[in-house]
C-alpha cells in the first residue's frame, strides 16, 4: 500500500478588512444573512460574505501576513473557517479598529485657526515629551496663536539650535531631517504677535521606548496598517509618548485613512486607553 504523507497548510487564525477603494457604501457585508457596515480593520468571521461593486477592490489580510484582493468577479466572497484562534496581532488590530472607527467622524484637522488664542501643544500635554534618537524629521501640530510662526529646537546640553524655521503659516509643520542625539531639548513656537510657547523634549534611545508586543513590533515599519496600529498602541502608553506616536504616523497621513484619523485625534489631544491585557496576551 502506498502511503501519501501531506503537510498541513499553515492555519489562518484571523482575517480583517485591511483597506478598500472608494466608499464603504460601495461594498456589502453580511453575517448570517444580516447586513454589517464595512469598516477598516474589521475582524471577519467564518461564513461572512462580501460583495464588491464594479471597478472596486477590497483587500483582506490574514494574520499570517497574506493579503487577498476581493474583486467584483469574486462576489460573493465567503470567509472560510480556519479552526484557529486569533493571535496577539489580530487582537490588537481589532482593538485599534474599534477605537479608530469611533473617532473617525469626530476628529477635525487643525486647519481652522483660532487667531488670538494662546498657543497650546496637545502633543506635549505634560513635558517632557519623549522622542526616539536618530536622524529624522520632526512633525508638530499646535492650536492658537497668530501666523506667521517661528519654530525652533535647542539642545540644552550645548545650547546648539538644531532647528530654526521662521515664516510657518499653518499650525502643522514638518522639519527637514534633524540629527537628534539623546538628551534634553527646548521646543519654542513664537507667533506673529510675539507670543511664545515653550516645551521640553527628551530624546531617548530605542531601548528606552515602551516594548511593544512581539508580533506588533515585528510587523510595524513600511506597512500602513501595522504602522498605524503600532502608533496607536504607543499613544496609549501614556502622555509622554504622544509626540513619538505622531512622528510614526505622519508619513502615512495621505495614504491611509485610519492614519489620518489617528493624527487628527492626537492633534486634538484625544488618545486611546491602553488595550486590555487579554488583547496583548492574545486571549
Amino acid at each position: 500500500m502506498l502511503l501519501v504523507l501531506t503537510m498541513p497548510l499553515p492555519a489562518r487564525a484571523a482575517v480583517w478588512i485591511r483597506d478598500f477603494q472608494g466608499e464603504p457604501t460601495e461594498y456589502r457585508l453580511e453575517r448570517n444573512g444580516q447586513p454589517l457596515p464595512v469598516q477598516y480593520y474589521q475582524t471577519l468571521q467564518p461564513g461572512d460574505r462580501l460583495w464588491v461593486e464594479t471597478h472596486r477592490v477590497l483587500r483582506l489580510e490574514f494574520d499570517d501576513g497574506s493579503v487577498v484582493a476581493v474583486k467584483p468577479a469574486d462576489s460573493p466572497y465567503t470567509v472560510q473557517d480556519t479552526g484557529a484562534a486569533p493571535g496577539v496581532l489580530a487582537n490588537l488590530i481589532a482593538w485599534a479598529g474599534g477605537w479608530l472607527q469611533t473617532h473617525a467622524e469626530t476628529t477635525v484637522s487643525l486647519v481652522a485657526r483660532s487667531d488670538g488664542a494662546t498657543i497650546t501643544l496637545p502633543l506635549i500635554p505634560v513635558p517632557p515629551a519623549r522622542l526616539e534618537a536618530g536622524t529624522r524629521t520632526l512633525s508638530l501640530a499646535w492650536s492658537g496663536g497668530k501666523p506667521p510662526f517661528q519654530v525652533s529646537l535647542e539642545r540644552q546640553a550645548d545650547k546648539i539650535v538644531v532647528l530654526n524655521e521662521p515664516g510657518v503659516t499653518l499650525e502643522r509643520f514638518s522639519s527637514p531631517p534633524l540629527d537628534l542625539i539623546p538628551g534634553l531639548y527646548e521646543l519654542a513656537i513664537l507667533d506673529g504677535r510675539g507670543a511664545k510657547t515653550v516645551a521640553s523634549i527628551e530624546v531617548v534611545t530605542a531601548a528606552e521606548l515602551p516594548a511593544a508586543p512581539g508580533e506588533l513590533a515585528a510587523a510595524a515599519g513600511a506597512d500602513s496598517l501595522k504602522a498605524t496600529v503600532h502608533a496607536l498602541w504607543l499613544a496609549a502608553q501614556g502622555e509622554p509618548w504622544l509626540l513619538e506616536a505622531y512622528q510614526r504616523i505622519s508619513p502615512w497621513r495621505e495614504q491611509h485613512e485610519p492614519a489620518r484619523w489617528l493624527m487628527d485625534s492626537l492633534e486634538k489631544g484625544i488618545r486611546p486607553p491602553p488595550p486590555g491585557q487579554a488583547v496583548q496576551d492574545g486571549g
Side-chain angles (χ1 to χ4, degrees):
M1 179 184 296
L2 179 65
L3 297 178
V4 179
L5 301 179
T6 60
M7 295 296 292
L9 294 174
R12 287 178 166 173
V15 58
W16 51 83
I17 296 175
R18 177 183 173 88
D19 51 33
F20 48 85
Q21 298 175 338
E23 299 298 323
T25 52
E26 297 177 273
Y27 304 86
R28 182 156 58 98
L29 172 63
E30 286 187 0
R31 178 173 298 161
N32 299 323
Q34 299 300 312
L36 291 175
V38 171
Q39 300 173 346
Y40 285 97
Y41 303 1
Q42 180 170 357
T43 300
L44 302 183
Q45 297 180 6
D48 287 355
R49 300 208 298 168
L50 271 166
W51 286 261
V52 178
E53 288 196 3
T54 306
H55 306 307
R56 292 301 190 192
V57 176
L58 179 148
R59 294 197 300 170
L60 302 177
E61 184 172 2
F62 296 82
D63 69 353
D64 63 4
S66 60
V67 175
V68 172
V70 182
K71 302 175 182 178
D74 304 315
S75 302
Y77 177 93
T78 302
V79 178
Q80 301 301 310
D81 189 355
T82 66
V88 173
L89 182 60
N91 286 335
L92 284 168
I93 289 172
W95 163 78
W99 190 88
L100 287 166
Q101 196 65 47
T102 300
H103 293 82
E105 304 302 327
T106 60
T107 56
V108 178
S109 172
L110 292 178
V111 172
R113 300 193 189 97
S114 50
D115 292 352
T118 302
I119 299 172
T120 61
L121 291 163
L123 298 174
I124 312 178
V126 181
R130 295 196 177 100
L131 284 179
E132 183 180 1
T135 301
R136 56 193 308 203
T137 61
L138 176 61
S139 295
L140 298 166
W142 59 91
S143 62
K146 184 177 178 62
F149 301 94
Q150 179 174 345
V151 181
S152 63
L153 185 67
E154 181 183 88
R155 192 162 57 224
Q156 295 299 283
D158 50 17
K159 300 301 180 184
I160 289 180
V161 176
V162 297
L163 171 67
N164 185 28
E165 189 76 25
V168 177
T169 57
L170 298 177
E171 296 174 2
R172 183 187 290 126
F173 166 77
S174 289
S175 75
L178 306 175
D179 184 18
L180 299 177
I181 62 175
L184 285 174
Y185 293 72
E186 181 180 271
L187 170 69
I189 300 176
L190 180 71
D191 78 356
R193 305 164 304 170
K196 186 178 183 180
T197 291
V198 175
S200 60
I201 296 175
E202 181 182 7
V203 175
V204 300
T205 64
E208 296 175 89
L209 269 67
E215 290 184 38
L216 180 59
D223 181 298
S224 57
L225 183 149
K226 310 301 191 312
T228 301
V229 175
H230 193 202
L232 184 67
W233 179 89
L234 187 59
Q237 302 311 301
E239 292 178 334
W241 300 109
L242 296 182
L243 186 60
E244 177 63 33
Y246 191 80
Q247 308 310 302
R248 294 179 178 233
I249 202 61
S250 293
W252 302 104
R253 179 185 180 87
E254 302 303 326
Q255 305 173 44
H256 191 55
E257 191 167 17
R260 178 177 59 80
W261 297 343
L262 177 55
M263 282 193 70
D264 290 347
S265 293
L266 296 179
E267 288 175 358
K268 293 182 66 180
I270 302 170
R271 68 179 180 91
Q277 194 63 43
V279 171
Q280 300 193 75
D281 290 343

